């Protein structure tokens, strides 16, 4: 009800949804997003988009989001659809059953993790190592004393050891996550974020936990009250983002996206690309962070959320849910799309489908970075004498980016790029 009562106050209500700690007010970037009646997806419009048995008119919802974002009172619920957690063609009953199954699965994984490290689910977090690199448990730490955790043998299982070694790093990152928000003044809320990341790290055998995942996960934990629901929302977001976090000694996860970015700038702005090449920035590593954590550091918390939902709405494909369900690691939405399904795609996805572009490297986020570079084109050509200058010029955009404008520019660049590469 609060969301509906606050609706008429426009942008001023956002502070009440994501209150800032008083001592951090001066350091937080100005919020640009304003919930606008008639443009932003409101709770009333959202509920009206469902049929009596629960089928969602996703095309109508996408149009509204692309026009003005989502009101904070319903953000988490809408995100679950945008990220492919649920099928818009399902009924209330089917979704309720699926939600219960997922909650049970999360609970089972949580119990599995608790049996190894009892602090999980206790409302506390770990910020110092509990095990040595060779598997010896550090009995002297306070966690084992507080919880009566007495283990006599060393950890020999490699997977368990790797996971245990990551737990304090997750804790250190959690403590640093969105510190300006009053939400994380509560240790219980920090523990909620830590639990989700720790359990995700256990379940994802391949990549585990990598710094930056905390920035992606935090909004889900804030928006969805139930910890299991927050986990599944994050898990679905990671299906499209997890390759960004894959790192080896020879490559970084976002490298393929950086290569695409290089190709885009070379095609639409050869002069800027050549200038960056001359500065030894042709690999575009200065854009690493923007792509890795989806502009979380370049926008205020509220504006980053607005940017994400704009992107996800524009990239939405109605086949996402079925492609995820049929293969746990698949993120291929290139299943057959007829005209009716095409209308249910977001703007960006529709253009990709029509032009036959289905590779994951052409994500909207890559075109967003290109749009940021284009807005700084003159400054980069004139003032950047080295890579440090490039980083500084791009650093100045922090808190000054307009999410809607950036997405509009990204779509224009996408169109220009497609027309040039077709020739």
């Amino acid at each position: 009800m609060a969301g509906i009562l606050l609706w008429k106050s426009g942008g001023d209500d956002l502070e009440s949804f994501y209150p800032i700690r008083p001592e951090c007010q001066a350091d937080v970037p100005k919020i640009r997003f304003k919930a606008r009646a008639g443009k932003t997806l409101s709770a009333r419009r959202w509920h009206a988009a469902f049929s009596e048995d629960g089928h969602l008119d996703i095309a109508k919802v996408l149009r509204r989001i692309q026009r003005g974002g989502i009101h904070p009172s319903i953000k988490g619920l809408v995100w679950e659809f945008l990220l492919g957690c649920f099928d818009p063609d399902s009924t209330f009953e089917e979704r309720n059953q699926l939600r219960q199954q997922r909650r049970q699965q999360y609970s089972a994984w949580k119990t599995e993790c608790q049996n190894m490290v009892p602090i999980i689910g206790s409302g506390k977090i770990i910020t110092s190592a509990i095990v040595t690199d060779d598997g010896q448990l550090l009995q002297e730490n306070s966690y084992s004393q507080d919880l009566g955790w007495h283990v006599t043998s060393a950890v020999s299982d490699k997977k368990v050891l790797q996971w245990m070694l990551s737990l304090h790093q997750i804790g250190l990152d959690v403590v640093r996550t969105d510190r300006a928000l009053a939400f994380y003044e509560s240790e219980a809320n920090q523990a909620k974020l830590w639990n989700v990341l720790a359990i995700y790290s256990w379940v994802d055998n391949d990549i585990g936990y990598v710094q930056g995942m905390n920035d992606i996960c935090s909004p889900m934990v804030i928006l969805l009250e139930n910890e299991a629901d927050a986990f599944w929302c994050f898990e679905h977001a990671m299906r499209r983002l997890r390759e960004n976090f894959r790192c080896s000694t020879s490559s970084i996860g976002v490298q393929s996206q950086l290569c695409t970015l290089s190709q885009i700038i070379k095609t639409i702005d050869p002069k800027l690309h050549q200038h960056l090449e001359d500065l030894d920035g042709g690999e575009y590593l200065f854009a690493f962070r923007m792509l890795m954590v989806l502009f979380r550091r370049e926008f205020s918390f509220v504006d980053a959320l607005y940017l994400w939902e704009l992107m996800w709405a524009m990239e939405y494909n109605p086949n996402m849910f079925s492609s995820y369900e049929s293969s746990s690691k698949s993120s291929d939405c290139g299943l057959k799309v007829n005209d009716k399904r095409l209308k249910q795609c977001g703007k960006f996805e529709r253009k990709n489908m029509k032009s036959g572009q289905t590779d994951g490297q052409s994500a909207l986020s890559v075109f967003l970075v290109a749009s940021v570079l284009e807005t700084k084109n003159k400054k980069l050509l004139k003032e950047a004498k080295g890579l440090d200058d490039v980083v500084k010029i791009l650093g100045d955009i922090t808190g000054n980016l307009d999410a809607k404008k950036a997405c509009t520019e990204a779509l224009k660049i996408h169109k220009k790029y497609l027309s040039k590469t077709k020739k």
Side-chain angles (χ1 to χ4, degrees), residues 102-167:
R102 285 180 178 156
R103 285 179 179 179
Q104 284 167 12
Q105 176 63 79
Y106 180 73
S107 179
W109 282 331
K110 192 172 183 178
T111 302
E112 205 178 325
C113 292
Q114 277 173 328
N115 289 340
M116 294 181 283
V117 179
I119 199 165
I120 285 172
S122 70
K124 297 185 182 299
I125 65 173
I126 285 172
T127 52
S128 57
I130 55 169
V131 66
T132 61
D133 288 349
D134 62 354
Q136 301 300 316
L137 281 138
L138 296 164
Q139 292 285 6
E140 69 277 7
N141 68 52
S142 60
Y143 312 117
S144 51
Q145 290 158 18
D146 291 349
L147 292 159
W149 182 34
H150 301 298
V151 185
T152 49
S153 59
V155 179
S156 55
D157 184 293
K158 197 177 172 189
K159 183 193 170 188
V160 175
L161 177 59
Q162 282 306 112
W163 176 68
M164 282 189 174
L165 286 167
S166 73
L167 291 178

Side-chain angles (χ1 to χ4, degrees), residues 266-394:
K266 190 177 181 178
T267 306
I268 63 156
D269 194 343
K271 195 175 174 187
L272 177 60
H273 177 76
Q274 189 55 55
H275 182 58
L276 292 168
E277 282 260 282
D278 294 344
L279 299 178
D280 206 21
E283 290 187 338
Y284 289 73
L285 286 170
F286 49 80
F288 172 85
R289 193 182 71 185
M290 288 186 213
L291 288 170
M292 188 85 157
V293 294
L294 288 187
F295 296 85
R296 272 300 311 270
R297 313 287 166 81
E298 281 69 35
F299 288 87
S300 69
F301 180 79
V302 171
D303 289 321
L305 269 52
Y306 174 45
L307 176 75
W308 287 7
E309 62 209 23
L310 279 181
M311 285 167 60
W312 293 337
M314 288 176 181
E315 290 182 307
Y316 184 79
N317 184 309
N319 289 330
M320 206 186 325
F321 172 81
S322 52
S323 73
Y324 285 163
E325 291 300 301
S326 61
S327 165
S328 59
K329 295 299 176 196
S330 165
S331 60
D332 175 28
C333 298
L335 305 173
K336 198 173 176 190
V337 174
N338 55 32
D339 284 348
K340 186 195 167 209
R341 297 295 260 179
L342 201 59
K343 283 176 186 159
Q344 295 178 330
C345 290
K347 277 184 198 173
F348 180 78
E349 181 65 7
R350 223 171 17 241
K351 288 195 174 80
N352 272 337
M353 299 296 283
K354 285 178 178 174
S355 66
Q357 298 270 326
T358 53
D359 70 324
Q361 301 320 321
S362 305
L364 182 54
S365 53
V366 182
F367 289 92
L368 265 166
V369 178
S371 80
V372 168
L373 291 172
E374 282 302 282
T375 57
K376 295 290 176 185
N377 166 304
K378 286 179 183 153
K379 205 170 171 69
L380 287 165
L381 287 171
K382 190 177 171 186
E383 297 176 23
K385 309 294 182 203
L387 277 181
D388 286 352
D389 296 331
V390 174
V391 172
K392 186 180 183 308
I393 290 165
L394 293 178

Side-chain angles (χ1 to χ4, degrees), residues 238-256:
M238 286 306 296
R239 290 183 189 223
R240 60 169 70 202
L241 294 171
R242 67 194 291 277
E243 289 306 312
N244 286 1
F245 292 93
R246 188 187 293 282
C247 293
S248 68
T249 46
S250 58
S251 70
I252 52 168
V254 291
Q255 205 144 33
S256 53

